[in-house]
Amino acid sequence: MTSSHTDCHFCLQSLRGRKYALREENAYCVPCYDSLYANPCEECKQPIECNSKDLAYKGRHWHEGCFRCAKCSRSLVEKPFAAKNEILLCTECYSDEYSSKCFHCQKTIMPGSRKMEFKGSSWHESCFVCQYCRQPLGTKPLITKDNENYCVPCFEKQFAHHCYACKKVITSGGVTYDDQPWHKECFVCAVCKTQLSSQRFISKDENPYCVDCFSKFCAKKCAACKKPITALGGAKYISFEERQWHGECFSCSKCSVSLVGQEFLTQQDDILCHKCGSA
């Protein structure tokens, strides 16, 4: 450009009839301006002269013709681009190199589009849907079965078991008793309500009991020692005329010989071996 400025601020040469550049209200001839202030181009390393267009990105500068994709060399002027490790790439090349592939459709998730992450995989937002109702899952609670994702209502409708006690859905874990599913917290002793999922229990009339409650409220009493007969672990007991005995208690009332598997006689409430009964 030309103006009324007379001399270059740096070399003091006359600017009459010459082009010059202004910086902080001082005039410079073109050679001086370029040597003092021109930015070096990131691509060709040559100064970007004052009569060239200077394209800047994050403190770095390029000639207009040097502002290109580092992979395919297409111009990035007035086009979307992305940077990776200070290298500029067009969106297509960036996607090919670095973008995630959708777990469902296997197509590239383009930069700038919304991406859903779940269990280490990525989805397009439009692909991350309930397998049954096909509605977007977004950030809603979901349940996975056989590598397919379901919203909670659809999973409960299609697959979930309902607890025999509370009738609510069992979403994980649970206990099976008498061919029926139970929540662990619902599988309790019919008397004291202690959870039974991790301890021994005894069943009677389709109800589970802890050992203590069964012994106290349900078990028959041994006619000899008066203690409960629980039959835990397959322990044997003897029953005769509405009375029961522990196997080790079923012995002659007089000589105490075991009568298990032996003939015996009764005398009022006593049981006697054949020898004592005949005496």
mmCIF file of all heavy atoms in Angstrom, residues 39-48 54-55 57 60-76 86-89:
data_model
loop_
_atom_site.group_PDB
_atom_site.id
_atom_site.type_symbol
_atom_site.label_atom_id
_atom_site.label_comp_id
_atom_site.label_asym_id
_atom_site.label_seq_id
_atom_site.Cartn_x
_atom_site.Cartn_y
_atom_site.Cartn_z
ATOM 1 N N ASN A 39 5.259 -14.624 10.157
ATOM 2 C CA ASN A 39 5.250 -15.912 10.859
ATOM 3 C C ASN A 39 5.769 -17.018 9.941
ATOM 4 O O ASN A 39 5.452 -17.045 8.754
ATOM 5 C CB ASN A 39 3.824 -16.273 11.296
ATOM 6 C CG ASN A 39 3.283 -15.313 12.333
ATOM 7 O OD1 ASN A 39 3.901 -15.086 13.360
ATOM 8 N ND2 ASN A 39 2.116 -14.727 12.042
ATOM 9 N N PRO A 40 6.554 -17.943 10.479
ATOM 10 C CA PRO A 40 7.010 -19.062 9.645
ATOM 11 C C PRO A 40 5.858 -20.067 9.441
ATOM 12 O O PRO A 40 5.100 -20.344 10.354
ATOM 13 C CB PRO A 40 8.135 -19.677 10.473
ATOM 14 C CG PRO A 40 7.814 -19.312 11.882
ATOM 15 C CD PRO A 40 7.148 -17.978 11.830
ATOM 16 N N CYS A 41 5.740 -20.607 8.255
ATOM 17 C CA CYS A 41 4.707 -21.581 7.928
ATOM 18 C C CYS A 41 5.068 -22.934 8.533
ATOM 19 O O CYS A 41 6.202 -23.403 8.414
ATOM 20 C CB CYS A 41 4.560 -21.690 6.408
ATOM 21 S SG CYS A 41 3.408 -22.981 5.879
ATOM 22 N N GLU A 42 4.098 -23.586 9.208
ATOM 23 C CA GLU A 42 4.325 -24.897 9.808
ATOM 24 C C GLU A 42 4.663 -25.956 8.778
ATOM 25 O O GLU A 42 5.386 -26.911 9.072
ATOM 26 C CB GLU A 42 3.064 -25.336 10.579
ATOM 27 C CG GLU A 42 2.811 -24.614 11.866
ATOM 28 C CD GLU A 42 3.787 -24.993 12.960
ATOM 29 O OE1 GLU A 42 4.225 -26.157 12.984
ATOM 30 O OE2 GLU A 42 4.125 -24.120 13.785
ATOM 31 N N GLU A 43 4.164 -25.813 7.551
ATOM 32 C CA GLU A 43 4.366 -26.828 6.529
ATOM 33 C C GLU A 43 5.679 -26.640 5.784
ATOM 34 O O GLU A 43 6.536 -27.515 5.768
ATOM 35 C CB GLU A 43 3.192 -26.811 5.543
ATOM 36 C CG GLU A 43 3.308 -27.792 4.394
ATOM 37 C CD GLU A 43 3.287 -29.239 4.847
ATOM 38 O OE1 GLU A 43 2.789 -29.512 5.958
ATOM 39 O OE2 GLU A 43 3.766 -30.100 4.095
ATOM 40 N N CYS A 44 5.871 -25.462 5.163
ATOM 41 C CA CYS A 44 7.057 -25.257 4.318
ATOM 42 C C CYS A 44 8.199 -24.546 5.028
ATOM 43 O O CYS A 44 9.298 -24.431 4.493
ATOM 44 C CB CYS A 44 6.680 -24.486 3.057
ATOM 45 S SG CYS A 44 6.205 -22.754 3.381
ATOM 46 N N LYS A 45 7.939 -24.036 6.237
ATOM 47 C CA LYS A 45 8.935 -23.360 7.080
ATOM 48 C C LYS A 45 9.363 -21.995 6.526
ATOM 49 O O LYS A 45 10.221 -21.341 7.118
ATOM 50 C CB LYS A 45 10.182 -24.231 7.297
ATOM 51 C CG LYS A 45 9.873 -25.657 7.755
ATOM 52 C CD LYS A 45 9.020 -25.695 9.006
ATOM 53 C CE LYS A 45 8.726 -27.129 9.436
ATOM 54 N NZ LYS A 45 7.817 -27.179 10.607
ATOM 55 N N GLN A 46 8.756 -21.561 5.438
ATOM 56 C CA GLN A 46 9.072 -20.254 4.875
ATOM 57 C C GLN A 46 8.192 -19.183 5.532
ATOM 58 O O GLN A 46 7.091 -19.480 6.005
ATOM 59 C CB GLN A 46 8.846 -20.253 3.357
ATOM 60 C CG GLN A 46 9.735 -21.222 2.597
ATOM 61 C CD GLN A 46 11.208 -20.898 2.779
ATOM 62 O OE1 GLN A 46 11.626 -19.744 2.656
ATOM 63 N NE2 GLN A 46 12.004 -21.924 3.097
ATOM 64 N N PRO A 47 8.685 -17.920 5.569
ATOM 65 C CA PRO A 47 7.870 -16.861 6.170
ATOM 66 C C PRO A 47 6.599 -16.607 5.365
ATOM 67 O O PRO A 47 6.589 -16.726 4.142
ATOM 68 C CB PRO A 47 8.803 -15.645 6.162
ATOM 69 C CG PRO A 47 9.818 -15.942 5.120
ATOM 70 C CD PRO A 47 10.000 -17.428 5.111
ATOM 71 N N ILE A 48 5.543 -16.302 6.085
ATOM 72 C CA ILE A 48 4.277 -15.951 5.433
ATOM 73 C C ILE A 48 4.296 -14.444 5.226
ATOM 74 O O ILE A 48 4.052 -13.667 6.158
ATOM 75 C CB ILE A 48 3.080 -16.382 6.291
ATOM 76 C CG1 ILE A 48 3.167 -17.882 6.596
ATOM 77 C CG2 ILE A 48 1.768 -16.049 5.581
ATOM 78 C CD1 ILE A 48 2.125 -18.377 7.583
ATOM 79 N N ASP A 54 -2.402 -15.435 5.891
ATOM 80 C CA ASP A 54 -1.865 -16.176 7.046
ATOM 81 C C ASP A 54 -3.020 -16.882 7.747
ATOM 82 O O ASP A 54 -3.904 -16.244 8.310
ATOM 83 C CB ASP A 54 -1.169 -15.197 7.994
ATOM 84 C CG ASP A 54 -0.463 -15.905 9.153
ATOM 85 O OD1 ASP A 54 -0.894 -17.013 9.520
ATOM 86 O OD2 ASP A 54 0.485 -15.328 9.707
ATOM 87 N N LEU A 55 -3.003 -18.233 7.720
ATOM 88 C CA LEU A 55 -4.029 -19.018 8.414
ATOM 89 C C LEU A 55 -3.462 -19.525 9.728
ATOM 90 O O LEU A 55 -2.400 -20.157 9.758
ATOM 91 C CB LEU A 55 -4.472 -20.198 7.551
ATOM 92 C CG LEU A 55 -5.084 -19.836 6.194
ATOM 93 C CD1 LEU A 55 -5.463 -21.084 5.440
ATOM 94 C CD2 LEU A 55 -6.309 -18.946 6.371
ATOM 95 N N TYR A 57 -3.956 -21.482 13.652
ATOM 96 C CA TYR A 57 -4.713 -22.427 14.465
ATOM 97 C C TYR A 57 -3.879 -22.768 15.689
ATOM 98 O O TYR A 57 -2.768 -23.286 15.587
ATOM 99 C CB TYR A 57 -5.025 -23.700 13.660
ATOM 100 C CG TYR A 57 -5.686 -24.790 14.473
ATOM 101 C CD1 TYR A 57 -7.002 -24.665 14.904
ATOM 102 C CD2 TYR A 57 -4.982 -25.949 14.815
ATOM 103 C CE1 TYR A 57 -7.606 -25.660 15.655
ATOM 104 C CE2 TYR A 57 -5.585 -26.958 15.563
ATOM 105 C CZ TYR A 57 -6.892 -26.808 15.988
ATOM 106 O OH TYR A 57 -7.479 -27.786 16.737
ATOM 107 N N ARG A 60 -0.254 -21.586 15.750
ATOM 108 C CA ARG A 60 0.584 -21.980 14.624
ATOM 109 C C ARG A 60 0.033 -21.365 13.335
ATOM 110 O O ARG A 60 -1.148 -21.046 13.257
ATOM 111 C CB ARG A 60 0.663 -23.501 14.508
ATOM 112 C CG ARG A 60 1.299 -24.158 15.731
ATOM 113 C CD ARG A 60 1.493 -25.649 15.519
ATOM 114 N NE ARG A 60 0.217 -26.346 15.409
ATOM 115 C CZ ARG A 60 0.060 -27.525 14.819
ATOM 116 N NH1 ARG A 60 1.112 -28.113 14.230
ATOM 117 N NH2 ARG A 60 -1.120 -28.104 14.777
ATOM 118 N N HIS A 61 0.896 -21.243 12.319
ATOM 119 C CA HIS A 61 0.529 -20.493 11.117
ATOM 120 C C HIS A 61 0.872 -21.284 9.866
ATOM 121 O O HIS A 61 1.835 -22.065 9.836
ATOM 122 C CB HIS A 61 1.264 -19.142 11.100
ATOM 123 C CG HIS A 61 0.939 -18.285 12.286
ATOM 124 N ND1 HIS A 61 -0.025 -17.308 12.264
ATOM 125 C CD2 HIS A 61 1.442 -18.284 13.557
ATOM 126 C CE1 HIS A 61 -0.096 -16.734 13.464
ATOM 127 N NE2 HIS A 61 0.788 -17.307 14.274
ATOM 128 N N TRP A 62 0.060 -21.067 8.817
ATOM 129 C CA TRP A 62 0.260 -21.740 7.538
ATOM 130 C C TRP A 62 -0.001 -20.758 6.392
ATOM 131 O O TRP A 62 -0.844 -19.859 6.506
ATOM 132 C CB TRP A 62 -0.718 -22.899 7.363
ATOM 133 C CG TRP A 62 -0.479 -24.111 8.198
ATOM 134 C CD1 TRP A 62 0.141 -25.260 7.847
ATOM 135 C CD2 TRP A 62 -0.896 -24.309 9.567
ATOM 136 N NE1 TRP A 62 0.166 -26.160 8.873
ATOM 137 C CE2 TRP A 62 -0.477 -25.603 9.951
ATOM 138 C CE3 TRP A 62 -1.574 -23.520 10.493
ATOM 139 C CZ2 TRP A 62 -0.712 -26.119 11.220
ATOM 140 C CZ3 TRP A 62 -1.799 -24.036 11.749
ATOM 141 C CH2 TRP A 62 -1.373 -25.321 12.106
ATOM 142 N N HIS A 63 0.721 -20.956 5.283
ATOM 143 C CA HIS A 63 0.288 -20.347 4.032
ATOM 144 C C HIS A 63 -1.056 -20.949 3.656
ATOM 145 O O HIS A 63 -1.349 -22.103 3.992
ATOM 146 C CB HIS A 63 1.283 -20.638 2.895
ATOM 147 C CG HIS A 63 2.577 -19.915 3.022
ATOM 148 N ND1 HIS A 63 3.747 -20.542 3.410
ATOM 149 C CD2 HIS A 63 2.890 -18.609 2.795
ATOM 150 C CE1 HIS A 63 4.729 -19.670 3.423
ATOM 151 N NE2 HIS A 63 4.243 -18.488 3.053
ATOM 152 N N GLU A 64 -1.856 -20.239 2.922
ATOM 153 C CA GLU A 64 -3.148 -20.760 2.493
ATOM 154 C C GLU A 64 -2.978 -22.054 1.692
ATOM 155 O O GLU A 64 -3.727 -23.010 1.862
ATOM 156 C CB GLU A 64 -3.892 -19.714 1.652
ATOM 157 C CG GLU A 64 -5.293 -20.119 1.274
ATOM 158 C CD GLU A 64 -6.045 -18.993 0.562
ATOM 159 O OE1 GLU A 64 -5.389 -18.019 0.129
ATOM 160 O OE2 GLU A 64 -7.282 -19.102 0.436
ATOM 161 N N GLY A 65 -1.983 -22.100 0.850
ATOM 162 C CA GLY A 65 -1.751 -23.297 0.042
ATOM 163 C C GLY A 65 -1.136 -24.440 0.822
ATOM 164 O O GLY A 65 -1.143 -25.585 0.350
ATOM 165 N N CYS A 66 -0.591 -24.175 2.011
ATOM 166 C CA CYS A 66 0.029 -25.225 2.831
ATOM 167 C C CYS A 66 -0.916 -25.805 3.876
ATOM 168 O O CYS A 66 -0.578 -26.789 4.534
ATOM 169 C CB CYS A 66 1.265 -24.668 3.538
ATOM 170 S SG CYS A 66 2.615 -24.193 2.433
ATOM 171 N N PHE A 67 -2.090 -25.195 4.007
ATOM 172 C CA PHE A 67 -3.039 -25.621 5.024
ATOM 173 C C PHE A 67 -3.829 -26.810 4.482
ATOM 174 O O PHE A 67 -4.931 -26.686 3.955
ATOM 175 C CB PHE A 67 -3.961 -24.453 5.389
ATOM 176 C CG PHE A 67 -4.723 -24.659 6.668
ATOM 177 C CD1 PHE A 67 -4.067 -24.847 7.871
ATOM 178 C CD2 PHE A 67 -6.112 -24.648 6.670
ATOM 179 C CE1 PHE A 67 -4.765 -25.017 9.050
ATOM 180 C CE2 PHE A 67 -6.826 -24.815 7.840
ATOM 181 C CZ PHE A 67 -6.149 -25.002 9.031
ATOM 182 N N ARG A 68 -3.241 -28.033 4.619
ATOM 183 C CA ARG A 68 -3.780 -29.232 3.978
ATOM 184 C C ARG A 68 -3.831 -30.389 4.977
ATOM 185 O O ARG A 68 -3.123 -30.398 5.989
ATOM 186 C CB ARG A 68 -2.916 -29.644 2.778
ATOM 187 C CG ARG A 68 -2.763 -28.596 1.700
ATOM 188 C CD ARG A 68 -1.999 -29.186 0.527
ATOM 189 N NE ARG A 68 -0.677 -29.646 0.939
ATOM 190 C CZ ARG A 68 0.456 -29.054 0.596
ATOM 191 N NH1 ARG A 68 0.437 -27.977 -0.161
ATOM 192 N NH2 ARG A 68 1.617 -29.528 1.010
ATOM 193 N N CYS A 69 -4.621 -31.395 4.648
ATOM 194 C CA CYS A 69 -4.685 -32.634 5.433
ATOM 195 C C CYS A 69 -3.340 -33.347 5.337
ATOM 196 O O CYS A 69 -2.803 -33.529 4.240
ATOM 197 C CB CYS A 69 -5.808 -33.529 4.911
ATOM 198 S SG CYS A 69 -5.847 -35.185 5.658
ATOM 199 N N ALA A 70 -2.808 -33.784 6.468
ATOM 200 C CA ALA A 70 -1.494 -34.418 6.478
ATOM 201 C C ALA A 70 -1.510 -35.791 5.829
ATOM 202 O O ALA A 70 -0.453 -36.320 5.468
ATOM 203 C CB ALA A 70 -0.999 -34.539 7.916
ATOM 204 N N LYS A 71 -2.693 -36.379 5.646
ATOM 205 C CA LYS A 71 -2.763 -37.720 5.061
ATOM 206 C C LYS A 71 -3.128 -37.695 3.580
ATOM 207 O O LYS A 71 -2.431 -38.278 2.746
ATOM 208 C CB LYS A 71 -3.774 -38.572 5.824
ATOM 209 C CG LYS A 71 -3.815 -40.021 5.365
ATOM 210 C CD LYS A 71 -4.749 -40.858 6.209
ATOM 211 C CE LYS A 71 -4.746 -42.320 5.727
ATOM 212 N NZ LYS A 71 -5.695 -43.145 6.509
ATOM 213 N N CYS A 72 -4.223 -37.016 3.233
ATOM 214 C CA CYS A 72 -4.678 -37.027 1.835
ATOM 215 C C CYS A 72 -4.315 -35.759 1.073
ATOM 216 O O CYS A 72 -4.542 -35.676 -0.129
ATOM 217 C CB CYS A 72 -6.184 -37.255 1.764
ATOM 218 S SG CYS A 72 -7.182 -35.861 2.377
ATOM 219 N N SER A 73 -3.751 -34.752 1.762
ATOM 220 C CA SER A 73 -3.262 -33.496 1.161
ATOM 221 C C SER A 73 -4.369 -32.608 0.622
ATOM 222 O O SER A 73 -4.082 -31.624 -0.066
ATOM 223 C CB SER A 73 -2.245 -33.775 0.042
ATOM 224 O OG SER A 73 -1.112 -34.440 0.571
ATOM 225 N N ARG A 74 -5.621 -32.900 0.916
ATOM 226 C CA ARG A 74 -6.686 -31.999 0.476
ATOM 227 C C ARG A 74 -6.661 -30.713 1.302
ATOM 228 O O ARG A 74 -6.348 -30.737 2.489
ATOM 229 C CB ARG A 74 -8.047 -32.679 0.615
ATOM 230 C CG ARG A 74 -8.330 -33.689 -0.481
ATOM 231 C CD ARG A 74 -9.714 -34.304 -0.340
ATOM 232 N NE ARG A 74 -9.794 -35.178 0.819
ATOM 233 C CZ ARG A 74 -10.863 -35.906 1.116
ATOM 234 N NH1 ARG A 74 -11.930 -35.860 0.345
ATOM 235 N NH2 ARG A 74 -10.867 -36.688 2.185
ATOM 236 N N SER A 75 -7.018 -29.606 0.648
ATOM 237 C CA SER A 75 -7.021 -28.316 1.330
ATOM 238 C C SER A 75 -8.033 -28.317 2.464
ATOM 239 O O SER A 75 -9.140 -28.864 2.346
ATOM 240 C CB SER A 75 -7.369 -27.201 0.344
ATOM 241 O OG SER A 75 -7.501 -25.964 1.030
ATOM 242 N N LEU A 76 -7.646 -27.704 3.602
ATOM 243 C CA LEU A 76 -8.541 -27.590 4.756
ATOM 244 C C LEU A 76 -9.117 -26.183 4.896
ATOM 245 O O LEU A 76 -9.806 -25.898 5.878
ATOM 246 C CB LEU A 76 -7.780 -27.954 6.033
ATOM 247 C CG LEU A 76 -7.228 -29.382 6.115
ATOM 248 C CD1 LEU A 76 -6.448 -29.563 7.409
ATOM 249 C CD2 LEU A 76 -8.346 -30.404 6.014
ATOM 250 N N GLU A 86 -0.951 -32.755 17.157
ATOM 251 C CA GLU A 86 -0.534 -31.560 16.416
ATOM 252 C C GLU A 86 -0.525 -31.759 14.905
ATOM 253 O O GLU A 86 -0.018 -30.917 14.170
ATOM 254 C CB GLU A 86 0.837 -31.071 16.891
ATOM 255 C CG GLU A 86 0.858 -30.674 18.368
ATOM 256 C CD GLU A 86 2.159 -30.005 18.767
ATOM 257 O OE1 GLU A 86 3.095 -30.009 17.956
ATOM 258 O OE2 GLU A 86 2.218 -29.487 19.897
ATOM 259 N N ILE A 87 -1.102 -32.849 14.413
ATOM 260 C CA ILE A 87 -1.220 -33.082 12.973
ATOM 261 C C ILE A 87 -2.652 -32.791 12.566
ATOM 262 O O ILE A 87 -3.596 -33.250 13.207
ATOM 263 C CB ILE A 87 -0.850 -34.541 12.618
ATOM 264 C CG1 ILE A 87 0.621 -34.793 12.954
ATOM 265 C CG2 ILE A 87 -1.115 -34.830 11.143
ATOM 266 C CD1 ILE A 87 1.037 -36.235 12.762
ATOM 267 N N LEU A 88 -2.823 -32.027 11.464
ATOM 268 C CA LEU A 88 -4.140 -31.665 10.993
ATOM 269 C C LEU A 88 -4.639 -32.702 9.989
ATOM 270 O O LEU A 88 -3.906 -33.115 9.086
ATOM 271 C CB LEU A 88 -4.110 -30.280 10.337
ATOM 272 C CG LEU A 88 -3.621 -29.123 11.217
ATOM 273 C CD1 LEU A 88 -3.772 -27.809 10.467
ATOM 274 C CD2 LEU A 88 -4.366 -29.066 12.535
ATOM 275 N N LEU A 89 -5.901 -33.113 10.165
ATOM 276 C CA LEU A 89 -6.502 -34.110 9.275
ATOM 277 C C LEU A 89 -7.915 -33.671 8.902
ATOM 278 O O LEU A 89 -8.627 -33.080 9.726
ATOM 279 C CB LEU A 89 -6.580 -35.475 9.955
ATOM 280 C CG LEU A 89 -5.256 -36.124 10.381
ATOM 281 C CD1 LEU A 89 -5.528 -37.294 11.311
ATOM 282 C CD2 LEU A 89 -4.478 -36.588 9.164
#
